[in-house]
Amino acid sequence: MIDVINLHKSFGKNEVLKGISTTIEEGEKVVIIGASGSGKSTFLRCLNCMEDPTSGSIMFEGEDIANIHVDINRHREKIGMVFQQFNLFNNKNVLDNVMLAPYSLGKKKLRALKKDPSYNGPKTAKELKAACRENALKLLKRVGLEEKAEAYPSTLSGGQKQRVAIARALAMNPKVILFDEPTSALDPEMVGEVLELMKELANEGMTMVIVTHEMGFAREVGTRVLFIDDGKIAEEGTPEEFFGNPKCPALKDFLSKVL
Amino acid sequence: MLNNFSVKWDKFIVNLIDKGGYKQVLDGLGNTIEVAILGLIIGMIIGTVIAVVSVMPKYPVLPYKMQNLFDKFLDKFPKKPLLRVVTLYYVFYAIMWVLQRLPLILDKICTLYVALFRGTPVMVQLLLGYFVLFPSMGIKMTALNASIIIFGLNSGAYVSEIMRGGINSVDGGQLEAARAVGFSYSASMLKIVVPQAVKNILPTLGNEFIALIKETSIIGYAGALDLVFAFKQIGTSSYEYTVPYIVLSVIYIVLVVFITILLKIMERWLAKSDRRH
């Protein structure tokens, strides 16, 4: 689904990614691990062009989204992202956080959609809003936070914030969700609830790319694990062979420190 | 200074009430407030434009639709250099080049603007503008209108810094999250970043307004009637300045305290909307 071809990224003279190529298939749960500063977060952020790649291609739905001539916003709607610091919209309540993007972005497309005779979704902005609201409430129920719909992000715990952030990503009905260390900023007692939700998503068949330090989670949920070292994929494989029989010395060294 | 105060006070009252000095005082008060309010409004418009330019991304990249149009258009030109010169290819290319760098160029201009208006006293700007620049450009206007424009231009430089600071104080993750769900840069700024920035900006803008109220006391130098000018006239007509200047100070203090109270109420209201559950 996402083809990454020879991806390079430099910040000034500092080359962070030194040629990464991989393919993320539909339904895959790709876990990316590596030491801090290895470029794993940068790689993830390049996948939806939050960082513009210096060179290389990222093919998504038949288009190279690394090309600046492509409408990246349209593609980002289909690539959800969950951040380490949650980044909920502080000026919106939980419900609005979830429904803002589907409603605002959907409203723009309404006129074009209405011309399509086979289209049988909401036809007016009002209907669209009601539909988005209903969907948002359903998602909040799904992440167990429907009673917090009217609350503001500042009143939520870290775990609750991250669950709302996941609901917000799901509201766009994405093809893939990118998780950038989703549990690293959480208090230990809240890590479980977020990982549990991610596991459920994985079981439902969502394509996920996850940067994490949770090795247990990587082993349990991942279908493929990538080890990034010094801006390159140093080793990849299924969790069994990856953790059971690591070959690359850098990975062995890394695993001995974190396991 | 305070001997014979009651005599001086009586003189002042005679000048203020019986000789009609109060009309000038009221006009002056109105003008002082008018210059400050209109100056702040003009300043906010200019300040917003400068702040937007200064926080805009500066990569030499056009919006993709415009860039694609240029690419298609430039592609139709012949490849031979001589033919390209004849068909003005390089002119169109230069237009594209400049457009791509427009945010950068505008930013430089805005930086210069802010440096000029923050680097010179507002009185110098008023004298230079009203007595030299406006007349030499053939613009005729009253001293009051010139003061409003000069104070607007001057405050624009300060307001731009206030707004830039307010926008930068919003966590960068907010913009990132909005971009990640598919909002364009401008939509993300308008829906998510600016509403949060406004909360940080409003109290500081209030301080700018207080500063403006006091700074307008110099517009008398251009011949505009303000509070200072009105009280100076009362003093001149009786050769007695003690009471007029004391009363003048009291009026400024009352004005500023009144605005401060309004600002406090507004701040409390904003803080409340921050804690809503």
Side-chain angles (χ1 to χ4, degrees):
Chain A
M1 179 158 49
I2 303 181
D3 272 320
V4 183
I5 303 157
N6 199 19
L7 181 68
H8 287 259
K9 172 70 187 173
S10 307
F11 294 100
K13 282 187 180 150
N14 178 21
E15 193 176 24
V16 180
L17 300 181
K18 300 173 181 171
I20 289 189
S21 298
T22 187
T23 298
I24 293 152
E25 302 291 349
E26 195 165 348
E28 252 194 323
K29 288 86 179 113
V30 179
V31 179
I32 301 166
I33 62 172
S36 58
S38 60
K40 56 187 190 312
S41 273
T42 306
F43 170 61
L44 190 82
R45 289 163 57 79
C46 279
L47 290 181
N48 65 349
C49 295
M50 292 310 285
E51 305 289 353
D52 279 314
T54 311
S55 71
S57 306
I58 297 162
M59 304 302 294
F60 178 71
E61 296 193 318
E63 270 195 288
D64 180 7
I65 60 174
N67 183 338
I68 55 163
H69 295 185
V70 166
D71 181 7
I72 184 65
N73 299 327
R74 192 162 55 83
H75 291 292
R76 280 193 183 134
E77 291 177 22
K78 292 292 152 213
I79 308 177
M81 189 165 202
V82 175
F83 299 87
Q84 181 177 3
Q85 299 295 341
F86 328 124
N87 296 346
L88 293 184
F89 304 139
N90 292 327
N91 56 332
K92 306 274 178 201
N93 69 20
V94 166
L95 182 65
D96 284 336
N97 259 280
V98 179
M99 64 180 280
L100 178 71
Y103 173 60
S104 301
L105 296 170
K107 204 162 63 174
K108 273 194 196 162
K109 293 178 200 140
L110 217 49
R111 183 171 297 190
L113 275 175
K114 272 192 289 195
K115 285 180 190 145
D116 181 0
S118 65
Y119 173 74
N120 57 0
K123 288 201 174 48
T124 62
K126 215 173 168 185
E127 281 172 38
L128 179 72
K129 192 167 195 170
C132 289
R133 193 188 152 86
E134 195 183 330
N135 187 42
L137 285 170
K138 209 165 73 190
L139 286 169
L140 284 177
K141 192 172 181 182
R142 160 107 179 56
V143 301
L145 287 168
E146 54 188 325
E147 77 281 6
K148 293 282 186 190
E150 302 296 327
Y152 276 79
S154 57
T155 65
L156 301 182
S157 74
Q160 290 171 330
K161 280 184 196 171
Q162 198 59 299
R163 277 146 63 198
V164 174
I166 292 173
R168 177 176 68 182
L170 287 172
M172 292 306 292
N173 214 357
K175 299 240 163 92
V176 51
I177 301 185
L178 314 176
F179 293 85
D180 188 5
E181 305 197 25
T183 57
S184 298
L186 293 175
D187 290 337
E189 75 268 25
M190 291 166 187
V191 171
E193 58 186 88
V194 172
L195 290 184
E196 199 53 46
L197 178 60
M198 287 168 65
K199 259 181 232 173
E200 284 172 32
L201 277 182
N203 290 337
E204 285 166 19
M206 175 62 75
T207 313
M208 297 158 80
V209 184
I210 307 152
V211 171
T212 187
H213 293 292
E214 298 285 334
M215 295 303 152
F217 177 80
R219 201 185 294 227
E220 192 182 341
V221 176
T223 55
R224 183 156 59 106
V225 188
L226 301 181
F227 176 65
I228 294 192
D229 183 48
D230 195 26
K232 285 182 183 141
I233 298 179
E235 183 157 348
E236 65 178 305
T238 62
E240 293 78 37
E241 54 179 298
F242 189 90
F243 291 106
N245 184 18
K247 292 173 196 77
C248 142
L251 175 59
K252 278 182 193 165
D253 186 43
F254 178 74
L255 287 178
S256 71
K257 280 180 192 151
V258 295
L259 285 182
Chain B
M1 174 184 103
L2 291 179
N3 38 359
N4 300 328
F5 188 78
S6 67
V7 177
K8 289 172 178 174
W9 177 260
D10 290 341
K11 254 188 184 175
F12 171 69
I13 294 298
V14 168
N15 267 304
L16 183 70
I17 311 284
D18 301 343
K19 292 191 183 166
Y22 68 91
K23 285 181 204 143
Q24 283 213 322
V25 168
L26 287 179
D27 283 350
L29 178 68
N31 288 349
T32 292
I33 295 176
E34 186 183 337
V35 173
I37 290 183
L38 292 182
L40 187 69
I41 291 173
I42 296 174
M44 276 164 69
I45 296 167
I46 295 175
T48 310
V49 172
I50 298 179
V52 165
V53 169
S54 80
V55 299
M56 245 172 13
K58 303 288 187 307
Y59 329 112
V61 169
L62 282 177
Y64 73 97
K65 275 181 192 156
M66 209 195 275
Q67 183 69 60
N68 285 347
L69 265 173
F70 263 109
D71 287 350
K72 266 187 208 153
F73 180 64
L74 291 179
D75 217 36
K76 291 198 178 108
F77 284 87
K79 294 281 178 286
K80 289 219 172 77
L82 193 66
L83 280 174
R84 286 192 159 185
V85 172
V86 174
T87 54
L88 301 177
Y89 170 88
Y90 292 107
V91 174
F92 291 112
Y93 189 87
I95 293 173
M96 183 183 80
W97 194 90
V98 169
L99 278 179
Q100 282 174 338
R101 282 152 187 83
L102 201 57
L104 201 70
I105 296 165
L106 287 177
D107 191 46
K108 292 268 186 283
I109 295 173
C110 290
T111 310
L112 181 70
Y113 175 92
V114 172
L116 284 181
F117 276 92
R118 293 213 304 182
T120 51
V122 65
M123 190 161 124
V124 175
Q125 292 161 16
L126 181 66
L127 297 178
L128 192 64
Y130 181 62
F131 292 113
V132 181
L133 292 181
F134 292 160
S136 72
M137 286 188 285
I139 305 169
K140 275 188 198 152
M141 60 170 73
T142 64
L144 187 68
N145 288 345
S147 304
I148 291 171
I149 289 175
I150 292 293
F151 271 93
L153 291 172
N154 177 273
S155 134
Y158 288 92
V159 172
S160 74
E161 288 296 297
I162 295 173
M163 295 208 167
R164 200 174 58 89
I167 290 172
N168 285 343
S169 73
V170 176
D171 174 28
Q174 298 286 313
L175 176 63
E176 259 183 18
R179 295 304 310 271
V181 286
F183 283 117
S184 65
Y185 176 79
S186 48
S188 309
M189 290 302 273
L190 282 178
K191 283 180 203 292
I192 304 300
V193 177
V194 169
Q196 293 181 53
V198 165
K199 268 189 197 176
N200 306 333
I201 289 168
L202 275 181
T204 329
L205 266 187
N207 290 338
E208 171 68 15
F209 184 56
I210 289 176
L212 263 180
I213 286 258
K214 289 179 294 178
E215 278 176 6
T216 56
S217 57
I218 60 150
I219 64 174
Y221 283 92
L225 171 70
D226 76 323
L227 270 180
V228 175
F229 197 86
F231 278 94
K232 212 166 158 187
Q233 294 234 310
I234 292 175
T236 313
S237 60
S238 62
Y239 304 110
E240 173 37 61
Y241 291 98
T242 312
V243 179
Y245 282 175
I246 290 175
V247 174
L248 175 61
S249 313
V250 170
I251 292 180
Y252 271 113
I253 290 176
V254 169
L255 262 180
V256 170
V257 167
F258 178 69
I259 298 167
T260 312
I261 292 172
L262 283 185
L263 286 175
K264 279 266 156 58
I265 294 172
M266 196 174 70
E267 247 172 275
R268 216 172 298 152
W269 174 72
L270 280 176
K272 210 183 278 170
S273 71
D274 235 4
R275 284 194 300 269
R276 54 199 164 173
H277 290 272

